[in-house]
């Protein structure tokens, strides 16, 4: 039986630009899931999970990797592993770990975020250094710097590799660890034409999502040293993230990891196309040159309408997107949206905004 919610948004005539998390497993993934060899992963006996972890470690040129249920859990595991309660975590103000993970670093790991805004979300050492606590006993101690690459809420911006390297070197010299929230690190790698291993070399731990642009239905990975992953393994179990025959999920993850990165450039081209189109619409403010990956965030204040109003109107035309602020909207391209879909989104935006613009003129007739 079909319920309204099953049909809603799952029908092909919706263009769903709310997030790259909405991607559905491909036919190849579903086949691999059905045929996956499995075992009990809490016993370390799921061959497909083990293969996924080995491949992730290889691709990132690290000693080990761990399959985790979600990116949020991956970040929390890394934070718990690198800190003690009472310590501080330096991150950008609009970082996912600060805004969208229910303050789990405080609620569960017992740590405080110490944040700063950064242009384009890119934390440089100049911005980080003043936030590092002196090693005086009555200060809470800085333990960890968390970087986000690409930076979601700043529109998929990409860390220049030299900045990541500089931050890592200086953080290490100051006795801090560096965790990379690399939910979309493959998008950064494609944008720069570099390997994920090269972009993340000096970070102590990396989390990346299989379930976003790479198109897997569920799951994220942590990568790092053998010692880090051993501790992360315990933290995952502590948080209830030990899974049993998880090979059915890892099978899709393996395909995502091996096959999807080579197609991400298409999502980036669609995002650039969309950004260029939107920038030409009156009342929309956006610099298309800043759109380097698959996220387009734009300001609609000049239209005289709110992001929520515009999103609702777009929804009626079967274009789904997300307001990120009173006057800003985010659109994310991904493998389930083709060029034609992006063209429809642009045309719908024109319609939605011109209805209002032409209304006063019509009154003269
Ligand atoms: C999506 C996302 C995460 C975590 O994702 P889950 O939805 O928990 O899998 C972490 N960081 C960033 C930047 C993200 O965009």
């Amino acid at each position: 039986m079909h319920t309204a919610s099953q049909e809603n948004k799952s029908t092909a005539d919706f263009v769903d630009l709310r997030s790259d998390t909405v991607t559905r497993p491909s036919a190849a993934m579903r086949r691999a899931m059905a045929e996956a060899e499995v075992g009990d992963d809490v016993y370390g006996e799921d061959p497909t999970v083990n293969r996924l972890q080995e491949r992730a470690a290889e691709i990132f040129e690290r000693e080990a990797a761990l399959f985790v249920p979600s990116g949020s859990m991956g970040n929390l595991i890394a934070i718990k592993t690198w800190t003690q309660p009472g310590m501080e975590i330096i991150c950008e103000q609009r970082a996912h770990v600060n805004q969208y993970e229910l303050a789990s670093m405080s609620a569960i790991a017992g740590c405080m975020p110490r944040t700063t805004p950064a242009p384009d979300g890119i934390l440089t050492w100049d911005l980080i250094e003043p936030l590092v606590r002196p090693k005086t006993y009555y200060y809470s101690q800085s333990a960890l710097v968390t970087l986000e690459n690409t930076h979601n809420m700043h529109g998929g911006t990409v860390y220049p590799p030299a900045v990541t390297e500089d931050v890592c070197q200086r953080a290490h010299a100051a006795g801090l660890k560096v965790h990379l929230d690399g939910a979309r690190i493959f998008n950064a790698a494609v944008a720069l034409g570099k390997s994920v291993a090269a972009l993340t070399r000096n970070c102590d731990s990396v989390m990346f999502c299989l379930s976003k642009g790479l198109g897997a239905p569920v799951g994220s990975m942590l990568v790092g040293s053998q010692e880090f992953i051993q501790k992360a393994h315990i933290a995952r179990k502590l948080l209830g993230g030990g899974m049993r025959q998880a090979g059915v999920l890892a099978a899709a993850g393996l395909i995502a990891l091996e096959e999807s990165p080579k197609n991400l450039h298409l999502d980036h081209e669609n995002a650039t196309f969309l950004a260029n189109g939107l920038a030409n619409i009156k009342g929309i403010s956006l610099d298309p040159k800043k759109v380097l990956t698959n996220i387009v965030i734009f300001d609609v204040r000049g239209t005289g309408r709110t992001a929520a109003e515009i999103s609702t109107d777009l929804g009626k035309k079967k274009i789904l997107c997300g307001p990120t602020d009173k006057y800003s909207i985010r659109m994310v391209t991904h493998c389930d949206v083709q060029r034609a879909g992006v063209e429809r989104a642009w045309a719908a935006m024109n319609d939605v905004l011109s209805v209002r613009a032409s209304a006063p003129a019509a009154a003269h007739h």
Side-chain angles (χ1 to χ4, degrees):
M1 212 177 81
H2 259 69
T3 66
S5 73
Q6 273 174 327
E7 273 182 47
N8 187 21
K9 290 150 198 174
S10 67
T11 43
D13 60 342
F14 270 92
V15 179
D16 195 344
L17 299 167
R18 289 173 301 168
S19 175
D20 45 11
T21 56
V22 302
T23 51
R24 294 186 171 74
S26 64
M29 285 179 190
R30 287 176 185 272
R31 257 194 319 276
M33 293 171 81
E35 291 163 8
E37 233 192 302
V38 296
D40 190 328
D41 183 51
V42 173
Y43 295 158
E45 291 172 3
D46 190 299
T48 310
V49 170
N50 291 340
R51 214 148 37 88
L52 173 62
Q53 291 176 165
E54 281 156 25
R55 276 303 286 147
E58 251 169 38
I59 289 168
F60 281 76
E61 298 172 14
R62 294 304 177 102
E63 288 173 5
L66 186 69
F67 185 48
V68 293
S70 71
S72 298
M73 190 189 284
N75 283 335
L76 177 56
I77 289 170
I79 285 169
K80 256 193 87 56
T81 301
W82 292 129
T83 62
Q84 296 294 324
M87 290 181 161
E88 286 187 349
I89 292 154
I90 296 170
C91 59
E92 204 272 334
Q93 196 168 301
R94 299 175 74 191
H96 198 278
V97 289
N98 189 43
Q99 288 198 312
Y100 304 108
E101 298 183 10
L102 297 108
S104 62
M105 70 166 76
S106 304
I108 299 174
C111 292
M112 297 267 285
R114 190 145 160 82
T115 67
T116 181
D120 297 327
I122 306 299
L123 278 180
T124 56
W125 184 252
D126 279 354
L127 292 168
I128 294 169
E129 192 176 24
L131 307 180
V132 179
R133 299 286 191 185
K135 293 205 183 302
T136 308
Y137 83 90
Y138 49 79
Y139 282 114
S140 72
Q141 287 301 296
S142 313
L144 181 69
V145 175
T146 298
L147 307 178
E148 185 173 316
N149 193 13
T150 67
H151 197 302
N152 185 349
M153 277 302 128
H154 280 273
T157 47
V158 177
Y159 269 78
V163 171
T164 309
E165 223 154 278
D166 184 58
V167 166
C168 288
Q169 272 170 18
R170 291 167 189 260
H172 291 156
L176 309 176
K177 298 292 184 188
V178 179
H179 171 65
L180 178 68
D181 177 349
R184 297 185 179 83
I185 192 63
F186 282 92
N187 294 88
V190 165
L192 293 170
K194 297 208 183 290
S195 69
V196 289
L199 295 187
T200 62
R201 203 185 329 266
N202 297 297
C203 300
D204 299 286
S205 54
V206 183
M207 185 284 289
F208 71 94
C209 294
L210 296 163
S211 60
K212 293 192 170 162
L214 301 187
V218 178
S220 292
M221 305 296 299
L222 276 170
V223 295
S225 68
Q226 194 70 48
E227 193 190 350
F228 167 77
I229 293 296
Q230 271 168 8
K231 290 180 182 163
H233 196 255
I234 295 166
R236 183 184 69 175
K237 187 68 176 147
L238 177 70
L239 297 173
M243 297 182 285
R244 301 296 178 171
Q245 285 72 37
V248 290
L249 300 175
L254 267 166
I255 292 177
L257 188 59
E258 304 289 359
E259 305 298 331
S260 301
K262 58 174 168 282
N263 296 322
L264 289 177
H265 69 281
L266 298 170
D267 302 344
H268 297 183
E269 286 163 21
N270 283 335
T272 299
F273 178 86
L274 180 63
N276 283 322
L278 291 170
N280 283 329
I281 298 178
K282 197 161 165 279
I284 290 181
S285 159
L286 150 76
D287 182 357
K289 285 194 300 296
K290 288 203 166 172
V291 176
L292 299 177
T293 58
N294 69 328
I295 302 179
V296 185
I297 297 180
F298 51 96
D299 188 284
V300 297
R301 195 179 297 263
T303 65
R305 303 173 70 189
T306 65
E309 288 165 353
I310 293 172
S311 298
T312 301
D313 284 357
L314 286 172
K316 290 175 192 155
K317 295 180 180 292
K318 299 196 170 183
I319 308 297
L320 302 178
C321 60
T324 53
D325 219 329
K326 188 166 182 190
Y327 292 110
S328 76
I329 292 179
R330 186 182 76 151
M331 291 183 170
V332 184
T333 57
H334 52 76
C335 58
D336 287 354
V337 170
Q338 315 306 319
R339 179 58 62 93
V342 169
E343 285 172 355
R344 264 183 56 203
W346 177 77
M349 181 64 92
N350 262 309
D351 285 353
V352 162
L353 295 179
S354 64
V355 168
R356 166 77 176 259
S358 60
H364 288 290
H365 289 296

